[in-house]
Amino acid sequence: MDLELRQLRTFLAVAAELHFSRAARRLHVSQPALSQQIRALERTLGTALFDRSSRATELTPAGQVLLDAAPRVLYEAERAQTLVTQAANGAVGLLTVGSVGTALASITPRILRSMRARFPDLQLEVNQQDTSAQLVAIADGRLDVGLVRAAASTEAVAVEHLVAEPLLAALPADHPLADGTEIVPEALADEPFVLWPRPLGRAFFDIIVGYCLEHGFSPRIVAEGADIETQLGLVAAGLGVSLQPSYYANLRPPGVVFLPLTGEVPQVALQVAWRRTDRSPAVMHFVEAAKECAQPA
C-alpha cells in the first residue's frame, strides 16, 4: 500500500470542510485535482472515504477511522523527518566525551554549556579519563571526542590545541617553602615528588622530568597517583611536592598550596582530540565549540 502524505493532508482538508469546493480553495488547488487525489487515496485503501450520494458530503465509517488516525500518521512522519534532519546536522543522538581532570577544572564545563545551549536534544556522556586512555578509546571508537593534555596527533587521532597553562609547584601547606610567593625550581632538587604514572600521560610526565633536568636535578619520585585528587591528597599528607598545571589550583584542595615557579616555565597544552575518519557533524560541532570556548574573552 503506497499511502502519500499529501493525500492524507488533502483528505483532512475535505473532512474538515465536508465540501470539495471549499477544501480546494483552502488548499489553493483546483477542485478536479483535489477530487483526483481523494479518488487515488480511496483506490489505495480499497474503500470509499466520503459518501457523495446526497447533496451533503459526509464521511463513511472508513473515512471516520482515517480521520482519527491521519493526524497521528502525519505527526509521526513530520517528527521522523525532523529527527532525521537533526541527526544529519549533529543535533540529536549521543556524543561520548572524554576529559582529563585539568579540563574538567577549567574549559570542559564551558564547552558543555555551549553544546547544551546550541543542541539541547544532543545527549552528552562525559567520562574523566587520562590522556593515554582517551587516545586509545577514540581510535577504537569507544569515545567520540576527548579533551586531552600534552598529546601528539597520531595516524588515527587528530589533536588540535585549545589553551596552554603554566606549571605550578604544589606543596603541603606546612612546607617551609609554602610561605613564599614563588618557588625557585632548584629549591625542589632534594624534595620527594608525587607525580602521575608515566603510562597515563607520557608527554606530560616527560615535560616535568625534562624541566627538572634543565634545572640540574632528576625528580625523586616517592609516590604516584592515577588521578589528581589522589596526587593532591598525597601532597596534603606531606609525602612530597608536585608540579601540576595551573588549572588544578582551581580545585583549592585543603592542605595544599600552589605557588608559581620562577623563570621560564613549561606551558602544558589542553587539546581537543577526535578520530580522523569520523565525519559526524556532532563531533565537528563539539570541536568548534571547544575552539570557541578557548578564545580569550
Side-chain angles (χ1 to χ4, degrees):
M1 181 173 63
D2 187 11
L3 193 64
E4 295 184 10
L5 299 180
R6 178 171 56 91
Q7 293 173 342
L8 285 181
R9 295 188 182 97
T10 300
F11 164 78
L12 288 175
V14 177
E17 297 289 346
L18 290 178
H19 195 283
F20 277 70
S21 295
R22 287 198 299 268
R25 288 194 297 270
R26 175 175 169 178
L27 295 175
H28 306 288
V29 297
S30 66
Q31 182 175 334
L34 181 142
S35 298
Q36 184 177 3
Q37 289 185 38
I38 294 298
R39 285 195 295 271
L41 178 60
E42 289 175 328
R43 285 196 300 271
T44 298
L45 295 174
T47 186
L49 299 173
F50 295 98
D51 184 354
R52 304 174 182 83
S53 59
S54 62
R55 292 176 60 89
T57 300
E58 296 179 351
L59 285 166
T60 65
Q64 186 62 55
V65 170
L66 185 59
L67 178 61
D68 294 337
R72 295 195 300 273
V73 173
L74 290 172
Y75 169 78
E76 291 298 335
E78 291 168 359
R79 180 172 177 270
Q81 181 177 353
T82 299
L83 290 175
V84 168
T85 301
Q86 288 179 328
N89 294 333
V92 296
L94 172 66
L95 189 70
T96 57
V97 180
S99 177
V100 293
T102 324
L104 284 171
S106 54
I107 196 172
T108 301
R110 298 202 301 273
I111 300 171
L112 296 179
R113 281 195 295 270
S114 175
M115 290 293 291
R116 280 276 183 240
R118 294 170 58 189
F119 308 106
D121 295 323
L122 179 64
Q123 183 181 351
L124 300 171
E125 182 180 290
V126 184
N127 303 289
Q128 181 174 352
Q129 296 183 21
D130 61 77
T131 294
S132 296
Q134 284 191 63
L135 295 178
V136 173
I138 292 171
D140 290 347
R142 289 178 286 114
L143 280 179
D144 296 315
V145 65
L147 295 165
V148 298
R149 181 178 60 196
S153 294
T154 68
E155 185 176 344
V157 179
V159 176
E160 187 160 338
H161 176 84
L162 295 177
V163 294
E165 52 195 16
L167 286 177
L168 296 180
L171 306 164
D174 58 357
H175 193 284
L177 296 175
D179 292 333
T181 57
E182 58 184 7
I183 298 290
V184 177
E186 288 81 1
L188 302 176
D190 297 325
E191 296 291 334
F193 270 75
V194 176
L195 292 182
W196 294 83
R198 188 172 186 271
L200 297 188
R202 289 176 173 81
F204 178 58
F205 183 93
D206 292 346
I207 287 173
I208 293 176
V209 172
Y211 174 70
C212 293
L213 291 173
E214 286 176 6
H215 291 277
F217 69 97
S218 179
R220 180 166 58 90
I221 303 170
V222 298
E224 295 179 332
D227 54 65
I228 187 61
E229 291 80 8
T230 299
Q231 291 174 58
L232 295 182
L234 294 172
V235 172
L239 270 71
V241 302
S242 190
L243 296 178
Q244 297 289 346
S246 62
Y247 279 128
Y248 281 138
N250 297 334
L251 299 177
R252 295 181 175 84
V256 179
V257 172
F258 284 88
L259 291 176
L261 295 153
T262 62
E264 188 174 343
V265 181
Q267 300 286 313
V268 181
L270 279 180
Q271 305 147 311
V272 60
W274 68 98
R275 199 162 43 260
R276 292 186 185 276
T277 57
D278 195 335
R279 296 294 180 263
S280 164
V283 169
M284 293 301 103
H285 291 324
F286 188 94
V287 171
E288 290 304 316
K291 292 192 287 188
E292 290 171 7
C293 291
Q295 295 299 316

